[in-house]
Amino acid sequence: MLNRRTVLITGAARGQGAAAARLVVEAGGRVIVSDIRVPEGEAIATELGAAATFVRHDVGDENDWRHAIEIATQMGGLHGLVNNAGVLLTKGLRETTLDEWQKLVRVNQTSCFLGMRAAAPLIEQSGGGSIVNISSIAGLRGSARNFAYGATKWAMRGMTRAAAVDLAPRGIRVNGIYPGSIDTEMLSMWTPERRAEWLQRVPLGRMAEPSEVAHLVLFLLSDESRFITGAEIAVDGGSSAT
């Protein structure tokens, strides 16, 4: 399905990113596993074998993006980018500190800008391809306890739609995925009570597995979605429909 195309996935050392990396390789592609978690990232790359390369990558750092793109260039090109790295903060407006706000903007929002800007020229040179931005249903609806997180995910939504229009003439599609509650390490701090409370809002009545997001990522990276750009697809069990 991906025919040795190269895809860079941020935050790929675990969770959704690792699941997507595995599917890319299963589909015949090559993957650059990008993360600041070195042991976990190296373990994923080792698991995936010769089709995977790990790079330590701070997604909020412009120089680290240059390095990641250099690696893709050395591999012969870049055909896909998945902006998956992100951090969660469960706080409302009044409790959020400036340092916390700036951290979330840097990791969730600025990284998406830096990544698309850095990757687009090489994707174009490689014959075109696909960018997939992993936002959140917090980018589709208001959330009182996720002020900074929701703000950055709404920003990703706007950047995705603008980039889809901007990059279409260059043969680059840009789409957004809006996961709900996915059973990953990011939500490990939730208490059983918080989890039960949230599940009451999910019509399908459960959390999603990381692979359920990863399969959509693979579809959007592949030619099977070649006439889809600027799309907003929720993977949330129906939460955003209520």
Side-chain angles (χ1 to χ4, degrees), residues 24-48:
V24 165
V25 173
E26 287 178 19
R30 297 180 298 180
V31 65
I32 299 173
V33 176
S34 149
D35 212 300
I36 59 171
R37 297 177 177 85
V38 174
E40 296 96 323
E42 290 179 338
I44 292 294
T46 299
E47 172 195 329
L48 297 178

Side-chain angles (χ1 to χ4, degrees), residues 50 88 99 158 164 185 189 195 205 218 233:
L88 174 67
D99 285 345
E185 294 86 344
M189 76 289 292
R195 185 173 295 233
L218 181 62
I233 307 173

